[in-house]
Amino acid sequence: MIGYLALCDLHWKITKVIRSIPVSLAEPGQDAREIFADREVLDRLLEQDTEQMVSARRQLRGKEHLSVFVTVKPVREQVLLSVYDMENADWLPRMAELQLSALDELASLGTGPYGESYFEIQKVNNRLINSQRALAKANVLLKETLEEMHRAENTIEILKRDPVTNLLTEKIFYERAQVMLEENPGQAFDIIAVDIERFKIINDAFGTAAGNQLLSDLSVCLLDIRVDEKSLFARIRADLFAVLVPREEGVYGRLEHSLNCFLKNYPLPMRLTVKIGVYQIEERDIPVERMCDRAFIAAGSIKGMYAEKIVFYNNAMREKMLFEQKILDTMVEALEQGQFQIHLQPKVRVNTEEVVGAEALVRWEHPELGLLSPADFLPVFERNGFIYSLDLYVWHKVCSAMQRWRQMGGADIPVAVNVSRMDIYHGDLPSLFTELVKDYGLEPKNLHLEITESAYISDSRQLLLVVEQLRKTGFVVEMDDFGSGYSSLNMLSELPVDVLKLDLKFLRTGTDAGRRHRIMQAVIDLAHTLHLLVIAEGVETKEESLLLEEMGCQYAQGYYYGRPVPENEFEKRFLHLECQKKEY
């Protein structure tokens, strides 16, 4: 509330302060014009009517945001100055007191209560009452508006939260983290990425409700590492979480301890594993999204490693990320320009070492990075889906080579090509292969199809359907990397393949060589019982070749028999042999 009454001379020098709320708005002896932002306002009001009261609404000096009512009334050789404003109906009694003070003062100046000035003051009082009524209505409307805004803010806040965990959503986390970093330039921060391994299996085995409950419970566990109000928590997507925390000694020890207790006692009948990646923010000029990417790259680098639970992002990971980005940036042009080359590695009959087939492998002759092995780019292509385009290119190149060999009157040996687990989902794969061999004048038995055991683990039902159709059409299906996963025997009982490929690295690991030999022998015998052919991969020495012959393994491939070589070199070195037309 503002309520100020004072008498001034005709030059606006304050002669007497009658009442001042708040105090010290202006003191006797001061120039009353100094009260207002516009010094000339009082002169202009007085010029309007030298006999009656005149009012206006003006702004106080130094408080341009505050507007008040101003009333001036000439009283003989003086001027009565009134400054007032109200925001609350509770102040009405105080304003009434102010008006009574004005009446008393005018009476002392010789103007009776029933004189002209009395009616002018009544007008002012009526105006105050009307203003108060309007203000009361405005207050009611303002209260309703504020309540609506509060309800809207609650709705907006709900939309900013993940419905399963009540943590921030990805977009809001990025926005708030960016603001947090900008508002605290001197504070060191870390971004923590949390990834649940094999989360898809949890949903498949126990249901979505159990998966959501795990996410919710894990989010509560993560909140235990909150440092202060500068900590932010989000569920980025699926089973991925991100946390922004001020860098503090001991936070990762607490996090690891809390997660260990959580995972050890969690009521699900399977071992839960969580991988943690940390990016210690040094480059603040990059987007928060990229900071999170670095933390998730770190977490992804230790997936499948039992002993590793937490890792910090480093330059090596950065170099790998840049390398992969270079691959992604140039892969389409590389395929169009024929930078991918087909290399062939012979498959031989163990007892005679005669060539009975080949495996097609792809190499990338990159103009900047040089010769790249499949391990450099195939995992990247499987993640982004480009693997299908590359595999299709390889299949055509291989069929074209076999067609050329036939036309030249040369070998009619089968060549195996790789079929990625991602290829299984692309349309009608059996029809595609059928049309492919038909276009190049080949028989289905000429094109062997290698499928990795990981494809079975990813989606056994879809793979089983595709393999059955391929074999009915006449294609030979080879199971590559048999024994490298966790479901080999189950896969062998369900999946109707023709050939098992065993990696001889199995015999070189561990200390009990005899035990491993017996296991290898048992697998070979089992395959023969099931009328499956066995091909041993990775044969490097004559001793290993003799061992395989002793075990009854009929076919093999490896550096001992020949390394993967370009098509033209393969043709020169291997296609002139007398045994080249024999099949396995």
Side-chain angles (χ1 to χ4, degrees):
M1 172 182 174
I2 294 178
Y4 181 79
L5 283 174
L7 288 172
C8 308
D9 63 19
L10 297 179
H11 300 290
W12 299 112
K13 180 179 179 180
I14 299 173
T15 58
K16 181 179 181 181
V17 176
I18 303 171
R19 183 68 63 88
S20 179
I21 305 174
V23 297
S24 304
L25 184 64
E27 300 293 337
Q30 287 184 245
D31 190 330
R33 290 173 293 188
E34 297 295 328
I35 298 175
F36 305 99
D38 179 6
R39 279 183 53 90
E40 310 302 324
V41 59
L42 297 180
D43 291 328
R44 288 195 296 271
L45 287 174
L46 198 59
E47 290 173 356
Q48 293 181 30
D49 193 332
T50 57
E51 300 296 334
Q52 304 298 324
M53 284 188 176
V54 182
S55 299
R57 192 170 182 85
R58 292 293 184 268
Q59 292 175 325
L60 294 178
R61 184 180 181 185
K63 298 181 180 179
E64 282 72 12
H65 65 283
L66 185 58
S67 179
V68 296
F69 289 101
V70 185
T71 301
V72 296
K73 164 64 179 176
V75 182
R76 299 182 181 178
E77 300 299 321
Q78 299 186 70
V79 180
L80 180 64
L81 172 64
S82 177
V83 181
Y84 51 93
D85 189 39
M86 287 192 304
E87 297 180 1
N88 193 307
D90 294 339
W91 297 343
L92 190 58
R94 300 288 305 277
M95 188 61 71
E97 294 176 6
L98 194 68
Q99 298 306 312
L100 291 174
S101 298
L103 289 173
D104 291 342
E105 192 63 34
L106 290 176
S108 66
L109 292 174
T111 303
Y114 300 101
E116 185 177 350
S117 297
Y118 173 80
F119 295 105
E120 293 297 333
I121 292 177
Q122 285 294 92
K123 291 179 182 179
V124 173
N125 194 44
N126 289 336
R127 289 177 190 168
L128 287 173
I129 294 173
N130 291 336
S131 297
Q132 188 57 35
R133 289 173 178 169
L135 182 61
K137 292 181 181 179
N139 283 340
V140 172
L141 292 175
L142 178 60
K143 182 180 178 181
E144 293 175 353
T145 302
L146 290 175
E147 289 175 351
E148 291 178 3
M149 289 177 61
H150 184 65
R151 286 192 293 269
E153 288 173 355
N154 288 339
T155 302
I156 293 172
E157 184 62 28
I158 291 173
L159 295 176
K160 293 177 180 178
R161 297 280 174 175
D162 169 56
V164 174
T165 64
N166 200 39
L167 301 183
L168 297 176
T169 60
E170 180 179 10
K171 180 176 181 295
I172 300 302
F173 176 80
Y174 293 154
E175 292 175 356
R176 294 189 181 180
Q178 188 66 50
V179 172
M180 185 71 70
L181 293 173
E182 291 173 356
E183 292 180 348
N184 300 275
Q187 172 74 60
F189 284 92
D190 293 345
I191 285 186
I192 303 172
V194 179
D195 185 0
I196 305 173
E197 279 202 299
R198 301 184 304 279
F199 181 72
K200 184 177 182 296
I201 295 177
I202 296 172
N203 276 337
D204 290 343
F206 305 106
T208 304
N212 287 344
Q213 187 62 52
L214 173 60
L215 295 174
S216 177
D217 294 342
L218 179 58
S219 69
V220 175
C221 177
L222 294 178
L223 291 173
D224 288 343
I225 66 166
R226 183 189 300 274
V227 175
D228 54 27
E229 69 279 358
K230 297 176 184 176
S231 303
L232 299 174
F233 298 81
R235 179 189 177 200
I236 299 300
R237 57 190 172 273
D239 60 323
L240 304 180
F241 296 82
V243 181
L244 176 73
V245 292
R247 193 172 304 161
E248 182 181 271
E249 185 177 356
V251 67
Y252 297 108
R254 296 200 310 272
L255 174 59
E256 191 167 1
H257 174 74
S258 180
L259 283 175
N260 285 342
C261 294
F262 172 79
L263 298 174
K264 181 179 179 180
N265 300 301
Y266 198 77
L268 271 182
M270 68 172 288
R271 181 183 294 276
L272 298 176
T273 305
V274 170
K275 299 301 182 184
I276 303 168
V278 180
Y279 173 61
Q280 295 184 305
I281 300 175
E282 304 297 341
E283 301 177 59
R284 295 198 176 215
D285 57 339
I286 65 175
V288 174
E289 295 93 321
R290 285 180 57 191
M291 298 179 187
C292 288
D293 286 342
R294 294 182 177 184
F296 282 115
I297 287 173
S301 70
I302 55 174
K303 275 194 171 184
M305 300 181 185
Y306 173 74
E308 299 291 336
K309 297 180 180 178
I310 182 169
V311 64
F312 287 77
Y313 180 85
N314 56 40
N315 287 333
M317 296 176 188
R318 174 183 173 83
E319 292 302 320
K320 181 181 179 183
M321 180 180 66
L322 294 175
F323 175 79
E324 291 186 355
Q325 189 60 49
K326 173 67 75 174
I327 287 175
L328 294 173
D329 291 341
T330 57
M331 62 185 186
V332 176
E333 292 78 7
L335 193 62
E336 294 172 349
Q337 297 169 10
Q339 295 177 14
F340 293 98
Q341 304 296 321
I342 305 302
H343 286 212
L344 298 169
Q345 185 175 31
K347 296 179 179 179
V348 305
R349 192 182 301 275
V350 172
N351 59 351
T352 63
E353 295 187 6
E354 55 187 343
V355 176
V356 294
E359 179 181 1
L361 304 167
V362 65
R363 302 288 186 269
W364 186 353
E365 290 281 357
H366 198 286
E368 297 179 31
L369 304 174
L371 182 64
L372 302 178
S373 74
D376 292 326
F377 55 86
L378 289 186
V380 180
F381 291 169
E382 285 193 344
R383 289 196 298 271
N384 77 340
F386 189 70
I387 188 68
Y388 178 72
S389 298
L390 178 61
D391 283 346
L392 194 60
Y393 170 85
V394 172
W395 301 337
H396 277 279
K397 293 284 286 186
V398 168
C399 288
S400 176
M402 288 194 291
Q403 181 188 54
R404 186 175 67 255
W405 299 342
R406 277 192 167 189
Q407 293 171 348
M408 295 172 61
D412 192 17
I413 64 173
V415 179
V417 296
N418 287 292
V419 178
S420 166
R421 66 175 182 266
M422 304 302 296
D423 299 332
I424 303 298
Y425 301 98
H426 276 270
D428 189 352
L429 200 63
S431 296
L432 184 150
F433 278 118
T434 301
E435 292 297 322
L436 185 66
V437 295
K438 181 180 178 181
D439 290 344
Y440 286 95
L442 305 174
E443 299 292 332
K445 64 180 181 180
N446 297 127
L447 188 65
H448 289 203
L449 308 176
E450 287 194 9
I451 300 174
T452 62
E453 185 183 0
S454 60
Y456 172 80
I457 297 173
S458 298
D459 193 336
S460 59
R461 184 177 303 175
Q462 176 70 11
L463 181 61
L464 179 61
L465 178 64
V466 171
V467 169
E468 286 178 340
Q469 293 176 339
L470 287 170
R471 293 185 73 243
K472 286 179 181 178
T473 312
F475 290 96
V476 176
V477 178
E478 301 183 4
M479 176 56 63
D480 197 13
D481 295 335
F482 177 78
S484 63
Y486 301 99
S487 305
S488 300
L489 292 179
N490 188 49
M491 178 277 300
L492 200 57
S493 69
E494 293 185 355
L495 198 61
V497 298
D498 302 288
V499 180
L500 291 186
K501 297 190 71 176
L502 305 177
D503 197 330
L504 225 61
K505 287 188 296 184
F506 174 78
L507 295 178
R508 305 188 194 105
T509 58
T511 57
D512 193 342
R515 184 181 181 87
R516 291 182 175 275
H517 288 179
R518 290 191 294 274
I519 293 174
M520 179 73 81
Q521 181 70 69
V523 173
I524 293 172
D525 292 343
L526 177 61
H528 290 163
T529 302
L530 296 173
H531 306 290
L532 302 177
L533 295 179
V534 178
I535 299 178
E537 307 181 83
V539 182
E540 298 181 354
T541 65
K542 178 68 173 179
E543 290 74 18
E544 290 175 344
S545 178
L546 293 174
L547 177 62
L548 290 173
E549 185 176 0
E550 181 182 335
M551 289 180 172
C553 182
Q554 294 176 296
Y555 305 101
Q557 69 182 91
Y559 289 174
Y560 173 69
Y561 306 109
R563 292 174 178 268
V565 294
E567 290 178 54
N568 57 351
E569 186 176 342
F570 180 83
E571 295 169 7
K572 293 177 182 178
R573 290 181 57 185
F574 301 107
L575 295 190
H576 64 281
L577 301 176
E578 293 181 358
C579 58
Q580 59 193 358
K581 294 185 180 180
K582 297 184 179 180
E583 299 179 0
Y584 66 91

